[in-house]
């Protein structure tokens, strides 16, 4: 799964670093029923992204584990299902900076709750495609700052992601 995102404003940003592309590897269980039809566990790695601010620049990389379930699923067409999705993402955001002064290079924990929707289309008996639209609310976030200087980055309170996924069904 390759998850590509974009920023809409200063409050709404993808993942924990604005505009960061994220690679995801996930496994899930799926049942043909209208309630609790699927559960998915995944590992996400954000590709490094550099942001300027506070008199210097910081490069950020995120790592996270994600657990998502579908409380409700609706058959919209013979080959299209829409699901609501809720979940939790727990991970780490690593920052390394450069600038005129000494900088911190910490790794900080992150926790976000997830709510959204997924469209699922079987392509054949073996392959499927999905489109995800998730909103995330940070429960735990922190500033990355230059020592004796200003803040270089603060993770947003609200974030969103759009993802296009392809997968294999194991019988």
């Amino acid at each position: 799964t390759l998850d590509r995102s974009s920023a809409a404003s200063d409050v709404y940003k993808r993942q924990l670093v604005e505009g960061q592309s994220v690679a995801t590897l996930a496994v899930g269980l799926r049942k043909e029923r209208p309630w609790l039809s699927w559960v998915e566990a995944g590992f996400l790695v954000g590709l490094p992204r550099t942001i300027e601010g506070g008199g210097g620049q910081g490069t950020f990389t995120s790592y996270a584990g994600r657990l998502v379930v579908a409380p409700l699923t609706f058959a919209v067409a013979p080959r299209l299902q829409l699901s609501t999705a809720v979940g939790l993402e727990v991970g780490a955001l690593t920052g390394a900076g450069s600038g005129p002064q000494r900088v911190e290079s910490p790794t900080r924990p992150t926790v976000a709750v997830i709510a959204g929707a997924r469209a699922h289309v079987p392509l054949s008996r073996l392959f499927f495609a999905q489109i995800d639209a998730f909103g995330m609310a940070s429960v735990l976030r922190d500033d990355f700052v230059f020592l004796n200087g200003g803040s270089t980055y603060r993770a947003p309170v609200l974030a969103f992601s759009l993802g296009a996924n392809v997968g294999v069904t194991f019988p």
Side-chain angles (χ1 to χ4, degrees):
T1 302
L2 183 63
D3 189 349
R4 178 68 187 157
S5 60
S6 61
S9 74
D10 197 33
V11 175
Y12 302 99
K13 294 186 176 129
R14 163 57 197 139
Q15 266 315 85
L16 297 171
V17 178
E18 74 180 86
Q20 185 179 42
S21 294
V22 178
T24 305
L25 180 61
V27 295
L29 298 172
R30 184 174 191 82
K31 291 271 190 186
E32 295 298 323
R33 60 184 181 201
W35 50 274
L36 294 178
S37 63
W38 57 264
V39 61
E40 181 179 280
F43 181 71
L44 297 81
V45 177
L47 304 178
R49 170 105 164 130
T50 300
I51 297 174
E52 293 187 21
Q57 65 182 17
T59 300
F60 299 93
T61 305
S62 60
Y63 308 91
R66 180 185 277 182
L67 181 64
V68 183
V69 299
L72 296 171
T73 299
F74 307 94
V76 177
R79 297 180 46 88
L80 173 63
Q81 292 181 332
L82 293 179
S83 301
T84 60
V86 294
L88 184 68
E89 186 173 292
V90 177
L93 180 61
T94 299
S98 63
Q101 302 167 1
R102 197 171 71 111
V103 296
E104 292 184 57
S105 295
T107 297
R108 306 277 171 83
T110 60
V111 177
V113 292
I114 300 167
R118 171 177 286 171
H120 176 87
V121 178
L123 301 174
S124 69
R125 284 186 30 178
L126 193 57
F127 298 102
F128 62 88
Q130 297 174 154
I131 301 224
D132 295 335
F134 293 151
M136 294 173 285
S138 292
V139 176
L140 180 61
R141 65 194 186 107
D142 209 341
D143 279 342
F144 285 83
V145 299
F146 289 93
L147 298 181
N148 302 321
S151 175
T152 185
Y153 184 72
R154 180 170 174 99
V157 175
L158 299 175
F160 71 94
S161 69
L162 293 174
N165 316 301
V166 292
V168 176
T169 302
F170 296 97

